[in-house]
Protein backbone atom coordinates (compact mmCIF):
# COMPACT_ATOMS: atom_id res chain seq x y z
CA UNK A 1 0.00 0.00 0.00
CA UNK A 2 1.38 3.39 -1.02
CA UNK A 3 1.10 6.36 1.39
CA UNK A 4 1.71 10.08 1.01
CA UNK A 5 1.73 12.68 3.80
CA UNK A 6 0.35 16.16 3.15
CA UNK A 7 1.20 18.88 5.71
CA UNK A 8 -1.17 21.88 5.42
CA UNK A 9 0.55 25.06 6.62
CA UNK A 10 -1.17 28.47 6.69
CA UNK A 11 0.48 31.78 7.51
CA UNK A 12 -2.69 33.65 8.52
CA UNK A 13 -3.48 31.98 11.85
CA UNK A 14 -5.81 34.08 14.01
CA UNK A 15 -4.14 33.23 17.31
CA UNK A 16 -0.56 32.99 16.01
CA UNK A 17 0.14 34.62 12.61
CA UNK A 18 3.18 33.17 10.89
CA UNK A 19 3.17 30.10 13.14
CA UNK A 20 4.73 27.67 10.59
CA UNK A 21 7.78 29.95 10.33
CA UNK A 22 8.21 30.50 14.08
CA UNK A 23 11.54 29.13 15.24
CA UNK A 24 11.60 26.13 17.53
CA UNK A 25 15.08 25.06 18.57
CA UNK A 26 16.51 27.13 15.72
CA UNK A 27 14.30 25.58 13.01
CA UNK A 28 10.91 26.70 11.64
CA UNK A 29 8.00 24.75 13.11
CA UNK A 30 7.04 23.50 9.65
CA UNK A 31 10.54 22.08 9.18
CA UNK A 32 10.25 20.20 12.48
CA UNK A 33 6.98 18.65 11.32
CA UNK A 34 8.34 17.81 7.88
CA UNK A 35 11.45 16.11 9.27
CA UNK A 36 9.40 13.97 11.64
CA UNK A 37 7.14 12.82 8.82
CA UNK A 38 9.89 12.34 6.23
CA UNK A 39 11.63 10.00 8.67
CA UNK A 40 8.74 7.55 8.20
CA UNK A 41 7.29 8.27 4.76
CA UNK A 42 9.23 8.62 1.54
CA UNK A 43 6.55 10.90 0.12
CA UNK A 44 5.81 14.05 2.17
CA UNK A 45 4.66 17.44 0.88
CA UNK A 46 3.84 20.77 2.56
CA UNK A 47 0.66 22.42 1.24
CA UNK A 48 0.55 26.19 1.67
CA UNK A 49 -1.07 29.32 0.31
CA UNK A 50 1.79 31.61 1.29
CA UNK A 51 5.00 32.26 -0.64
CA UNK A 52 6.98 32.85 2.56
CA UNK A 53 6.22 29.33 3.73
CA UNK A 54 6.95 27.95 0.26
CA UNK A 55 10.35 29.66 0.25
CA UNK A 56 11.17 28.39 3.75
CA UNK A 57 10.32 24.79 2.84
CA UNK A 58 12.40 24.96 -0.32
CA UNK A 59 15.28 26.44 1.68
CA UNK A 60 15.50 23.39 3.93
CA UNK A 61 15.11 21.02 0.97
CA UNK A 62 11.49 20.01 1.51
CA UNK A 63 8.78 19.42 -1.08
CA UNK A 64 5.99 22.01 -1.24
CA UNK A 65 2.92 22.76 -3.34
CA UNK A 66 0.95 26.00 -3.53
CA UNK A 67 -2.79 25.81 -2.87
CA UNK A 68 -5.78 28.15 -2.82
CA UNK A 69 -6.17 30.60 0.11
CA UNK A 70 -9.94 29.97 0.16
CA UNK A 71 -10.16 26.49 1.68
CA UNK A 72 -12.53 25.96 4.62
CA UNK A 73 -10.32 23.37 6.28
CA UNK A 74 -6.98 21.59 6.18
CA UNK A 75 -8.76 18.58 4.68
CA UNK A 76 -9.82 20.63 1.65
CA UNK A 77 -6.28 21.97 1.27
CA UNK A 78 -4.98 18.42 1.59
CA UNK A 79 -7.16 17.27 -1.31
CA UNK A 80 -6.01 20.06 -3.63
CA UNK A 81 -2.37 19.39 -2.80
CA UNK A 82 -2.78 15.66 -3.33
CA UNK A 83 -4.40 16.14 -6.73
CA UNK A 84 -1.68 18.60 -7.79
CA UNK A 85 1.10 16.20 -6.78
CA UNK A 86 -0.55 13.36 -8.69
CA UNK A 87 -1.07 15.49 -11.81
CA UNK A 88 2.37 17.10 -11.83
CA UNK A 89 4.34 13.95 -11.06
CA UNK A 90 2.00 11.41 -12.67
CA UNK A 91 1.79 9.45 -9.44
CA UNK A 92 -1.01 7.85 -7.48
CA UNK A 93 -1.33 6.76 -3.87
CA UNK A 94 -3.66 4.50 -1.91
CA UNK A 95 -3.77 6.57 1.28
CA UNK A 96 -3.30 10.27 2.01
CA UNK A 97 -2.19 11.22 5.53
CA UNK A 98 -3.09 14.73 6.69
CA UNK A 99 -0.51 15.85 9.27
CA UNK A 100 -1.22 19.17 10.96
CA UNK A 101 1.54 21.70 10.39
CA UNK A 102 1.60 22.72 14.06
CA UNK A 103 2.58 19.30 15.46
CA UNK A 104 6.39 19.39 15.51
CA UNK A 105 6.61 16.41 17.87
CA UNK A 106 4.44 14.02 15.90
CA UNK A 107 5.95 10.63 16.71
CA UNK A 108 6.92 8.04 14.07
CA UNK A 109 4.93 5.35 15.87
CA UNK A 110 1.83 7.55 15.74
CA UNK A 111 2.13 7.70 11.97
CA UNK A 112 2.66 3.95 11.77
CA UNK A 113 -0.33 3.33 14.03
CA UNK A 114 -2.60 5.26 11.66
CA UNK A 115 -1.11 3.46 8.67
CA UNK A 116 -1.83 0.06 10.25
CA UNK A 117 -5.54 0.91 10.42
CA UNK A 118 -5.67 0.32 6.65
CA UNK A 119 -4.74 -3.33 7.10
CA UNK A 120 -8.51 -3.59 7.63
CA UNK A 121 -10.08 -3.26 4.16
CA UNK A 122 -13.25 -1.75 5.66
CA UNK A 123 -11.36 1.31 6.99
CA UNK A 124 -12.20 4.45 5.00
CA UNK A 125 -10.49 6.98 7.27
CA UNK A 126 -8.11 6.62 10.21
CA UNK A 127 -7.18 8.79 13.16
CA UNK A 128 -5.52 8.58 16.59
CA UNK A 129 -6.55 8.66 20.24
CA UNK A 130 -4.70 8.74 23.53
CA UNK A 131 -6.27 7.51 26.77
CA UNK A 132 -6.73 10.14 29.45
CA UNK A 133 -4.82 9.22 32.61
CA UNK A 134 -6.22 9.87 36.10
CA UNK A 135 -3.26 12.23 36.62
CA UNK A 136 -4.53 14.43 33.76
CA UNK A 137 -7.30 15.66 36.03
CA UNK A 138 -10.94 16.54 35.53
CA UNK A 139 -10.14 19.94 33.99
CA UNK A 140 -8.28 18.27 31.10
CA UNK A 141 -11.12 15.83 30.55
CA UNK A 142 -13.73 18.60 30.51
CA UNK A 143 -11.74 20.93 28.22
CA UNK A 144 -13.97 21.52 25.15
CA UNK A 145 -10.89 22.24 23.03
CA UNK A 146 -9.82 18.62 23.53
CA UNK A 147 -12.40 16.43 21.76
CA UNK A 148 -13.26 13.05 23.20
CA UNK A 149 -13.91 9.85 21.21
CA UNK A 150 -16.02 6.77 21.91
CA UNK A 151 -14.86 3.55 20.21
CA UNK A 152 -16.62 0.36 19.23
CA UNK A 153 -15.33 -3.18 19.84
CA UNK A 154 -13.32 -3.07 16.58
CA UNK A 155 -11.55 0.19 17.52
CA UNK A 156 -13.63 2.28 15.16
CA UNK A 157 -14.97 5.69 16.10
CA UNK A 158 -18.60 5.78 17.20
CA UNK A 159 -18.70 9.50 18.02
CA UNK A 160 -16.54 12.55 18.68
CA UNK A 161 -17.59 15.29 21.10
CA UNK A 162 -16.32 18.36 22.88
CA UNK A 163 -18.39 17.17 25.84
CA UNK A 164 -17.26 14.38 28.14
CA UNK A 165 -18.54 11.09 26.72
CA UNK A 166 -19.74 8.70 27.95
CA UNK A 167 -21.59 9.93 31.03
CA UNK A 168 -20.70 7.59 33.91
CA UNK A 169 -23.96 7.14 35.76
CA UNK A 170 -23.93 6.68 39.51
CA UNK A 171 -20.27 7.70 39.91
CA UNK A 172 -19.15 11.09 41.29
CA UNK A 173 -17.67 13.14 38.45
CA UNK A 174 -14.34 13.54 40.22
CA UNK A 175 -13.96 9.72 40.14
CA UNK A 176 -14.72 9.24 36.44
CA UNK A 177 -11.10 9.10 35.26
CA UNK A 178 -10.36 6.35 37.76
CA UNK A 179 -13.44 4.32 36.87
CA UNK A 180 -13.57 4.51 33.06
CA UNK A 181 -11.11 4.89 30.15
CA UNK A 182 -11.81 8.07 28.22
CA UNK A 183 -10.08 8.76 24.90
CA UNK A 184 -8.63 12.09 23.78
CA UNK A 185 -8.62 12.72 20.05
CA UNK A 186 -5.29 13.48 18.36
CA UNK A 187 -5.93 15.36 15.13
CA UNK A 188 -4.02 13.18 12.70
CA UNK A 189 -6.11 11.83 9.80
CA UNK A 190 -5.54 9.45 6.92
CA UNK A 191 -7.92 8.81 4.02
CA UNK A 192 -8.14 6.34 1.22
CA UNK A 193 -7.60 8.55 -1.83
CA UNK A 194 -11.11 8.12 -3.23
CA UNK A 195 -12.62 8.78 0.20
CA UNK A 196 -10.68 12.06 0.54
CA UNK A 197 -12.25 13.27 -2.70
CA UNK A 198 -15.71 12.14 -1.60
CA UNK A 199 -15.75 13.65 1.90
CA UNK A 200 -14.54 17.05 0.74
CA UNK A 201 -17.50 17.20 -1.65
CA UNK A 202 -20.02 16.60 1.15
CA UNK A 203 -22.02 19.53 2.55
CA UNK A 204 -21.56 20.36 6.22
CA UNK A 205 -23.76 18.23 8.45
CA UNK A 206 -25.94 19.02 11.44
CA UNK A 207 -23.65 17.35 13.98
CA UNK A 208 -20.57 18.96 12.45
CA UNK A 209 -22.14 22.40 12.78
CA UNK A 210 -23.27 21.70 16.34
CA UNK A 211 -19.85 20.58 17.62
CA UNK A 212 -17.61 22.29 15.03
CA UNK A 213 -15.91 18.95 14.32
CA UNK A 214 -15.65 18.03 10.63
CA UNK A 215 -15.14 14.32 11.36
CA UNK A 216 -18.79 14.13 12.42
CA UNK A 217 -19.75 14.88 8.80
CA UNK A 218 -17.91 11.74 7.77
CA UNK A 219 -19.58 9.58 10.41
CA UNK A 220 -23.02 10.97 9.56
CA UNK A 221 -22.46 9.92 5.97
CA UNK A 222 -21.53 6.36 6.88
CA UNK A 223 -17.75 6.38 6.56
CA UNK A 224 -15.84 3.96 8.80
CA UNK A 225 -13.15 5.68 10.88
CA UNK A 226 -10.50 3.32 12.21
CA UNK A 227 -8.69 4.45 15.33
CA UNK A 228 -5.08 3.88 16.29
CA UNK A 229 -4.04 4.00 19.94
CA UNK A 230 -1.13 6.16 21.10
CA UNK A 231 0.49 6.63 24.50
CA UNK A 232 2.65 9.52 23.27
CA UNK A 233 1.82 13.05 24.41
CA UNK A 234 2.47 15.60 21.71
CA UNK A 235 2.76 19.37 22.06
CA UNK A 236 0.68 21.18 19.46
CA UNK A 237 1.34 24.86 18.83
CA UNK A 238 -1.65 27.18 18.63
CA UNK A 239 -0.31 30.26 20.45
CA UNK A 240 3.03 31.94 21.25
CA UNK A 241 2.66 30.51 24.77
CA UNK A 242 2.50 27.01 23.27
CA UNK A 243 5.74 27.73 21.41
CA UNK A 244 7.47 28.61 24.68
CA UNK A 245 6.17 25.36 26.19
CA UNK A 246 7.43 23.47 23.15
CA UNK A 247 10.90 24.95 23.59
CA UNK A 248 10.96 23.55 27.12
CA UNK A 249 9.69 20.17 25.90
CA UNK A 250 12.40 20.10 23.19
CA UNK A 251 15.16 20.68 25.73
CA UNK A 252 13.80 18.09 28.15
CA UNK A 253 13.37 15.41 25.50
Amino acid sequence: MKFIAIIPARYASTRFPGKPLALLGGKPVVQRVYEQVAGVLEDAVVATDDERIRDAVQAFGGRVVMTSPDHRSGTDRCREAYEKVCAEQRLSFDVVINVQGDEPFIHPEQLRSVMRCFDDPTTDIATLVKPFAPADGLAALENPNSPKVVLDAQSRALYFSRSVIPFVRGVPREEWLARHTFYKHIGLYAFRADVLRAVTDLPQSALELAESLEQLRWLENGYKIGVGLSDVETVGIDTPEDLARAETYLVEN
Side-chain angles (χ1 to χ4, degrees):
M1 188 168 287
K2 196 170 182 182
F3 294 83
I4 184 172
I6 305 290
I7 306 168
R10 294 176 61 249
Y11 191 91
S13 168
T14 303
R15 288 186 288 178
F16 193 174
K19 175 173 59 176
L21 301 183
L23 294 181
L24 173 60
K27 295 181 180 181
V29 168
V30 68
Q31 181 176 354
R32 293 275 177 191
V33 179
Y34 187 93
E35 289 175 349
Q36 290 294 98
V37 174
V40 178
L41 291 160
E42 181 179 342
D43 293 288
V45 180
V46 174
T48 187
D49 59 1
D50 191 276
E51 293 179 355
R52 289 164 290 188
I53 295 174
R54 179 201 61 192
D55 293 345
V57 174
Q58 291 176 336
F60 67 72
R63 295 169 63 191
V64 62
V65 62
M66 295 297 291
T67 55
S68 167
D70 301 324
H71 290 302
R72 294 178 303 174
S73 69
T75 308
D76 296 319
R77 190 177 308 282
C78 185
R79 174 186 171 174
E80 183 192 353
Y82 170 69
E83 291 181 340
K84 280 191 170 182
V85 168
C86 290
E88 291 171 4
Q89 301 183 23
R90 298 181 182 178
L91 298 173
S92 63
F93 298 85
D94 300 296
V95 175
V96 185
I97 305 177
N98 181 353
V99 182
Q100 294 189 36
D102 56 6
E103 289 282 352
F105 301 108
I106 190 75
H107 195 275
E109 183 52 33
Q110 291 178 313
L111 293 166
R112 296 188 187 104
S113 181
V114 163
M115 293 164 70
R116 284 194 295 268
C117 289
F118 293 94
D119 292 342
D120 180 350
T122 69
T123 298
D124 299 310
I125 302 165
T127 192
L128 274 182
V129 298
K130 180 181 183 295
F132 282 95
D136 291 333
L138 192 59
L141 180 65
E142 293 180 332
N143 181 359
N145 294 318
S146 180
K148 274 63 68 174
V149 192
V150 172
L151 310 180
D152 70 10
Q154 285 74 47
S155 292
R156 290 189 293 254
L158 285 171
Y159 192 72
F160 298 79
S161 182
R162 296 185 183 278
S163 297
V164 181
I165 52 172
F167 181 92
V168 186
R169 186 178 179 185
V171 176
R173 205 170 181 90
E174 60 271 16
E175 296 179 19
W176 281 10
L177 278 168
R179 299 282 290 274
H180 180 82
T181 301
F182 294 87
Y183 293 102
K184 174 170 62 174
H185 184 225
I186 298 173
L188 172 68
Y189 295 109
F191 307 82
R192 293 194 189 274
D194 58 333
V195 172
L196 175 62
R197 295 188 185 97
V199 297
T200 49
D201 285 337
L202 293 170
Q204 287 187 293
S205 69
L207 291 175
E208 176 187 8
L209 290 169
E211 297 246 25
S212 190
L213 296 172
E214 67 175 329
Q215 59 268 40
L216 293 176
R217 182 197 325 171
W218 313 332
L219 285 179
E220 280 192 85
N221 283 275
Y223 289 97
K224 301 290 191 300
I225 303 179
V227 176
L229 189 65
S230 175
D231 60 0
V232 178
E233 188 65 69
T234 61
V235 180
I237 298 175
D238 291 317
T239 66
E241 291 75 22
D242 291 338
L243 182 65
R245 187 162 59 101
E247 285 280 5
T248 301
Y249 182 86
L250 185 66
V251 171
E252 293 176 349
N253 292 273

